[in-house]
Amino acid sequence: MIDQATIDEAKSVLVAQNRDRAVEIARRVIAAGGDPLELMSRAFIPGINEVGDLFGRGQLFLPELMLAADVMKAATDIVNEALAGTSRSAQKAGTVVIATVKGDVHDIGKCIVVSLMRANGFTVHDLGRDVATDAILEKALDVNADVIGTSALLTTTMTHQKTLEEALKSHGLKGRFKTIVGGAPVTPRWAARIGADAYAEDAQDGVGKVKQLLSS
Ligand code: B1M
């Protein structure tokens, strides 16, 4: 378990948009054998959430949000690199196509999900961010995916997760691919409403839900 002082420090340097310190702490914790996911979930994610709250309340502005996002990305890259080195399964667990939906550039959380899925033996085709529904479907067909995962961070873009479900139905593909949705505004209720097969709260939950989908 990472000590509380390090957690507090990592969170506060992120809120203060201090890239060098965040990178240094991430490297130090991981080199000392700390759990990269614990560092994410106890320090960096609460930190970026605090930044988001301050931005939402008008106490912090877009340039600062962008700087904090840059720090978060740098820290996440180090965590993702560490996760890639901890492959927990030699067997290929299934094929997942994943993307952040059209009109949405938030990809930090999605990249963590991708890294953890890869570390768990899934073959993951990451289409990136701001990806149109048609491109997602095309890739899923192309690689014969088992699961399609979408991430959305904006209330205005999560509607594309619904568009995907509609497109699957209209093309007669609903039974062919399982779907999983995630992202800060996404809820189990939303997933049920649009007909997605699963909802995941975080990366760990995402891996568990995809395993469940593939065994059902
Ligand atoms: Co934006 N932004 N942003 N932003 N941003 C939010 C989402 C917002 C809530 C902030 C706020 O106002 N409080 C707000 C949305 C409000 C709303 O929709 N009602 C907002 C806004 C308004 C905007 C802009 C419109 C601002 C502007 O330009 N005026 C703009 C939109 C750009 C666009 O997309 N078109 C914008 C831009 C940006 C940046 C570019 C500066 C940057 C993103 C950089 C990047 O991602 N490369 C950014 C950031 C960083 C945020 C906040 C602060 C943090 C997001 C994040 O990285 N969280 C965010 C506030 C917040 O969410 N609290 C905010 C950490 C990450 C690890 O969590 O992504 O939730 P998350 O992922 C989690 C889980 O959700 C889950 O697992 C992950 C790991 O635990 N998960 C999945 C996610 N996807 C999954 C998929 C799965 C399974 C699980 O399976 C497929």
Side-chain angles (χ1 to χ4, degrees):
M1 186 148 171
I2 303 167
D3 67 273
Q4 192 58 44
T6 303
I7 293 291
D8 292 344
E9 192 191 4
K11 184 180 169 195
S12 71
V13 298
L14 192 131
V15 176
Q17 304 130 48
N18 188 332
R19 192 178 199 275
D20 290 349
R21 292 284 297 124
V23 164
E24 187 265 308
I25 294 169
R27 290 212 172 108
R28 174 163 41 90
V29 167
I30 291 165
D35 179 355
L37 276 183
E38 185 193 351
L39 183 64
M40 240 329 122
S41 63
R42 287 182 59 212
F44 291 131
I45 292 179
I48 197 75
N49 283 341
E50 188 173 321
V51 169
D53 290 345
L54 291 168
F55 176 73
R57 290 201 299 267
Q59 291 172 317
L60 191 145
F61 300 98
L62 191 57
E64 292 149 311
L65 174 67
M66 290 171 76
L67 275 178
D70 182 53
V71 178
M72 182 70 180
K73 188 89 179 95
T76 309
D77 284 348
I78 293 167
V79 165
N80 285 344
E81 208 180 289
L83 289 175
T86 61
S87 197
R88 288 157 213 191
S89 167
Q91 270 189 323
K92 284 294 166 205
T95 300
V96 182
V97 164
I98 193 165
T100 299
V101 297
K102 182 82 193 149
D104 200 325
V105 304
H106 297 87
D107 68 348
I108 293 170
K110 187 260 305 161
C111 288
I112 301 174
V113 174
V114 168
S115 296
L116 202 60
M117 282 186 180
R118 286 187 177 143
N120 278 273
F122 293 99
T123 301
V124 184
H125 298 269
D126 179 5
L127 305 187
R129 55 193 187 170
D130 188 14
V131 184
T133 301
D134 285 354
I136 298 173
L137 275 182
E138 208 172 292
K139 188 69 180 181
L141 284 165
D142 188 35
V143 301
N144 194 22
D146 300 298
V147 176
I148 299 176
T150 52
S151 180
L153 265 286
L154 297 170
T155 47
T156 48
T157 59
M158 60 194 279
T159 53
H160 291 297
Q161 294 178 325
K162 182 165 179 257
T163 312
L164 174 71
E165 297 298 331
E166 289 165 354
L168 285 169
K169 279 187 206 126
S170 69
H171 289 94
L173 294 169
K174 184 57 191 150
R176 177 151 171 196
F177 308 112
K178 300 281 187 188
T179 54
I180 179 165
V181 291
V186 178
T187 61
R189 200 160 159 224
W190 169 251
R193 205 176 115 197
I194 65 173
D197 296 301
Y199 157 81
E201 189 178 353
D202 56 28
Q204 202 97 53
D205 190 27
V207 168
K209 293 282 170 59
V210 169
K211 283 183 180 164
Q212 274 174 28
L213 287 176
L214 293 179
S215 63
S216 62

